[in-house]
Protein backbone atom coordinates (compact mmCIF):
# COMPACT_ATOMS: atom_id res chain seq x y z
CA UNK A 1 0.00 0.00 0.00
CA UNK A 2 1.33 3.42 -0.84
CA UNK A 3 0.42 6.89 0.43
CA UNK A 4 -1.74 7.71 -2.61
CA UNK A 5 -3.88 4.61 -1.98
CA UNK A 6 -4.45 5.73 1.61
CA UNK A 7 -5.27 9.31 0.62
CA UNK A 8 -7.67 8.13 -2.09
CA UNK A 9 -9.45 5.78 0.33
CA UNK A 10 -9.64 8.51 2.99
CA UNK A 11 -11.46 10.80 0.57
CA UNK A 12 -14.22 8.24 -0.08
CA UNK A 13 -15.74 8.42 3.38
CA UNK A 14 -14.84 4.79 4.02
CA UNK A 15 -12.97 3.95 7.23
CA UNK A 16 -9.23 3.47 6.85
CA UNK A 17 -7.01 1.79 9.45
CA UNK A 18 -3.30 2.25 8.85
CA UNK A 19 -1.07 -0.12 10.80
CA UNK A 20 2.65 0.54 10.94
CA UNK A 21 5.16 -1.97 12.27
CA UNK A 22 8.04 -0.39 14.19
CA UNK A 23 10.49 -1.36 16.91
CA UNK A 24 10.82 1.30 19.62
CA UNK A 25 13.40 -0.53 21.76
CA UNK A 26 14.64 -3.96 22.74
CA UNK A 27 13.11 -4.31 26.22
CA UNK A 28 11.78 -0.79 26.92
CA UNK A 29 10.69 2.10 24.77
CA UNK A 30 13.77 4.20 24.12
CA UNK A 31 13.35 7.77 25.50
CA UNK A 32 14.24 9.21 22.09
CA UNK A 33 10.85 7.94 20.84
CA UNK A 34 8.76 9.54 23.63
CA UNK A 35 7.88 12.73 21.68
CA UNK A 36 6.73 10.71 18.66
CA UNK A 37 4.68 8.32 20.83
CA UNK A 38 2.96 11.26 22.57
CA UNK A 39 2.25 12.88 19.20
CA UNK A 40 0.73 9.69 17.75
CA UNK A 41 -1.46 9.13 20.83
CA UNK A 42 -2.58 12.76 20.76
CA UNK A 43 -3.83 12.60 17.19
CA UNK A 44 -7.62 12.63 16.96
CA UNK A 45 -7.65 9.61 14.62
CA UNK A 46 -5.26 7.48 16.68
CA UNK A 47 -6.53 4.13 17.94
CA UNK A 48 -3.41 3.59 20.03
CA UNK A 49 -0.22 1.61 19.89
CA UNK A 50 0.04 -2.15 20.43
CA UNK A 51 3.35 -3.85 21.01
CA UNK A 52 5.44 -6.21 23.03
CA UNK A 53 6.46 -9.82 22.79
CA UNK A 54 4.69 -13.14 23.42
CA UNK A 55 2.92 -13.18 26.79
CA UNK A 56 4.05 -9.61 27.48
CA UNK A 57 2.25 -7.15 25.26
CA UNK A 58 0.80 -3.71 25.94
CA UNK A 59 -1.84 -1.45 24.43
CA UNK A 60 -1.07 2.26 24.86
CA UNK A 61 -4.21 4.30 24.32
CA UNK A 62 -3.45 7.78 25.68
CA UNK A 63 -0.80 10.05 27.15
CA UNK A 64 -0.82 13.02 29.48
CA UNK A 65 2.34 15.05 30.09
CA UNK A 66 5.02 12.41 30.82
CA UNK A 67 2.58 9.54 31.47
CA UNK A 68 1.50 6.84 29.04
CA UNK A 69 -1.78 5.06 29.76
CA UNK A 70 -1.78 1.39 28.87
CA UNK A 71 -3.67 -1.85 29.22
CA UNK A 72 -2.31 -5.38 29.32
CA UNK A 73 -4.48 -7.52 27.01
CA UNK A 74 -3.52 -10.60 29.04
CA UNK A 75 -5.21 -9.22 32.16
CA UNK A 76 -9.00 -9.29 31.93
CA UNK A 77 -10.93 -6.99 34.27
CA UNK A 78 -14.67 -6.69 34.89
CA UNK A 79 -16.41 -3.89 33.04
CA UNK A 80 -17.39 -0.77 34.95
CA UNK A 81 -21.13 -0.31 35.16
CA UNK A 82 -23.00 2.62 36.59
CA UNK A 83 -26.63 2.30 37.62
CA UNK A 84 -27.40 6.03 37.72
CA UNK A 85 -26.88 8.73 35.11
CA UNK A 86 -23.87 11.00 35.23
CA UNK A 87 -25.87 14.21 34.88
CA UNK A 88 -25.15 15.01 31.25
Amino acid sequence: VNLNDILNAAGTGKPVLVMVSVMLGMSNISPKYYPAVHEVLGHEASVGIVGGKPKKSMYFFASQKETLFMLDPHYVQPAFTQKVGIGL
Side-chain angles (χ1 to χ4, degrees):
V1 176
N2 65 43
L3 180 58
N4 286 333
D5 292 337
I6 295 168
L7 294 174
N8 290 337
T12 65
K14 296 179 182 177
V16 176
L17 177 62
V18 178
M19 298 174 72
V20 179
S21 177
V22 296
M23 185 174 198
L24 301 177
M26 292 299 289
S27 59
N28 296 317
I29 297 175
S30 173
K32 70 181 180 181
Y33 297 115
Y34 290 176
V37 169
H38 286 289
E39 187 173 340
V40 166
L41 292 174
H43 193 278
E44 67 180 66
S46 175
V47 294
I49 299 172
V50 176
K53 48 191 169 185
K55 301 200 184 255
K56 187 178 180 186
S57 58
M58 296 164 278
Y59 169 56
F60 296 97
F61 58 91
S63 68
Q64 183 178 34
K65 295 185 181 179
E66 299 298 316
T67 303
L68 292 175
F69 296 93
M70 55 84 65
L71 297 171
D72 179 348
H74 298 98
Y75 181 69
V76 180
Q77 300 179 38
F80 173 77
T81 58
Q82 187 171 342
K83 295 182 180 172
V84 295
I86 57 173
L88 294 178

